[in-house]
Amino acid sequence: MKILVATEKPFAAEAVNGIKEVIENAGHKLVLLEKGSKADLINAVSDAEGLIVRSDIVDKEVFDAAKQLKVVVRAGAGYDNIDLAEATAKGVCVMNTPGQNSNAVAELVFGMAIMMIRNNYNGKAGTELKEKSLGIHAYGQVGRNVARIAKGFNMTVTALDPFVKDEDMTAEGVKPMHTVEELYSNNQFVSLHIPATAQTKQSVTKELICKLPQNGVLINTARKEVIDEAGLAAALEVRPDIRYIADVKPNNAEELTEKFGDRVFFTPKKMGAQTAEANIKAGIAAAEQVVAHLRDGWNHFQVNK
Ligand code: 3PG
């Protein structure tokens, strides 16, 4: 059977080799489409039984073209790029690979935070993370890795997640918070790890951002959609001490950079999961999941049940 790996942002070469091995050992054929256009994807998916993507958009047009498709695996965590209703209507199983790239994203949180608080290494005295407060907005796989690393920096760590029990956080040395207001008011650093859903989109508002204490730093390695971007601009305007770091360039990036200069930073391309280790883990897990699904319908991480 044909399994298409279509990634606008290519996996590391070692990951592609591993994916190829898993697919070929199971007797399938790998077709690799890197940096392709939507038209290339539509063309390549037409006779594929399995599809592996990253943040690539898999919408109705793609599903309409994919006449043989049985399974799509998003090699990563967030699956907001996939039209789940359309997949379900066409009887296609959609899975993600939870946890496989979470350490990479968590490490970038600190990489970007340090770059910001050391003034982009411009020679001016910066500040340290030690003994500062960190609020983790959603305590999932990435949030947990962020907490683990933060403890190494000797930060005080709190988190908000209605789906995680207080005692589970406490057992991991993390103080539970119960409202967003409480999380933002009590932490100089807030790191966002909420998925982009109908409930969370635009939920980080001016009012919330302005609750950050003096010299607050908001770090977004989640999705740009969770931020109310006009509200972010307004918050940065009224609170000249606040800084914003994102691995997801906002739509108003140009305006923000022009107005706020070094107080904002955006990676030019989403880089959180872009390490060889994360590519290998998420890519190979995706390949194994596609193979297992085509073998016997395995669907452990199905997200469109
Ligand atoms: C994820 O949801 O897994 C991350 O945002 C990584 O996305 P990427 O695979 O497009 O880098």
Side-chain angles (χ1 to χ4, degrees):
M1 286 190 255
K2 170 173 159 180
I3 298 172
L4 174 66
V5 175
T7 54
E8 188 275 319
K9 191 170 58 192
F11 285 123
E14 306 94 293
V16 175
N17 292 339
I19 293 168
K20 193 170 189 293
E21 201 178 305
V22 171
I23 289 175
E24 291 182 351
N25 283 349
H28 302 302
K29 181 176 170 232
L30 165 78
V31 173
L32 185 63
L33 175 66
E34 289 180 331
K35 301 184 185 173
S37 64
K38 180 83 177 282
D40 295 332
L41 172 59
I42 285 171
N43 186 39
V45 82
S46 61
D47 58 347
E49 267 94 350
L51 173 64
I52 294 174
V53 291
R54 297 183 63 175
S55 293
D56 309 85
I57 305 294
V58 186
D59 57 11
K60 183 172 185 311
E61 227 185 318
V62 177
F63 282 112
D64 282 345
K67 301 283 182 228
Q68 315 292 323
L69 197 60
K70 295 179 179 62
V71 57
V72 178
V73 178
R74 190 282 191 246
Y79 44 86
D80 46 309
N81 51 316
I82 300 176
D83 186 335
L84 297 187
E86 199 52 40
T88 306
K90 299 250 165 31
V92 177
C93 170
V94 180
M95 291 186 266
N96 65 350
T97 64
Q100 303 291 356
N101 61 17
S102 48
N103 178 65
V105 179
E107 287 191 13
L108 188 70
V109 167
F110 295 93
M112 293 196 302
I114 289 174
M115 189 178 77
M116 175 63 84
I117 65 174
R118 294 295 185 105
N119 305 312
N120 297 314
Y121 317 118
N122 68 359
K124 282 205 307 203
T127 55
E128 301 178 19
L129 292 175
K130 190 177 178 195
E131 285 158 16
K132 303 297 191 308
S133 52
L134 170 69
I136 302 175
H137 193 164
Y139 197 63
Q141 304 263 12
V142 182
R144 282 190 160 80
N145 276 286
V146 168
R148 171 181 55 79
I149 299 168
K151 282 183 259 163
F153 280 107
N154 211 3
M155 299 182 87
T156 55
V157 187
T158 63
L160 171 78
D161 196 320
F163 302 104
V164 179
K165 289 195 201 113
D166 283 7
E167 54 265 40
D168 292 346
M169 286 190 197
T170 311
E172 290 170 14
V174 173
K175 188 176 167 203
M177 297 263 143
H178 301 105
T179 65
V180 275
E181 289 77 16
E182 192 188 15
L183 185 80
Y184 283 66
S185 314
N186 285 292
N187 290 289
Q188 185 189 344
F189 292 83
V190 169
S191 189
L192 277 164
H193 302 292
I194 45 179
T197 65
Q199 290 74 38
T200 63
K201 280 182 186 169
Q202 312 236 2
S203 66
V204 182
T205 58
K206 175 189 172 199
E207 289 65 36
L208 201 52
I209 298 167
C210 285
K211 292 214 177 297
L212 288 169
Q214 193 63 24
N215 299 324
V217 180
L218 181 62
I219 308 160
N220 183 6
T221 54
R223 292 289 183 270
K224 67 179 177 186
E225 289 82 1
V226 302
I227 300 272
D228 164 6
E229 292 179 345
L232 169 67
L236 290 166
E237 188 87 57
V238 296
R239 284 284 306 276
D241 58 303
I242 286 180
R243 288 173 281 182
Y244 179 69
I245 307 169
D247 183 31
V248 275
K249 212 171 180 175
N251 294 334
N252 59 350
E254 221 168 275
E255 175 204 342
L256 295 181
T257 306
E258 203 172 289
K259 281 190 176 159
F260 308 113
D262 286 353
R263 291 171 54 212
V264 293
F265 172 78
F266 321 115
T267 50
K269 218 173 186 61
K270 186 149 65 113
M271 288 301 292
Q274 197 58 331
T275 65
E277 292 89 337
N279 285 180
I280 291 168
K281 285 175 69 182
I284 292 179
E288 285 170 345
Q289 290 175 215
V290 167
V291 164
H293 185 82
L294 294 177
R295 185 187 60 228
D296 58 16
W298 189 92
N299 66 346
H300 194 69
F301 296 118
Q302 186 166 358
V303 293
N304 66 328
K305 272 184 186 160

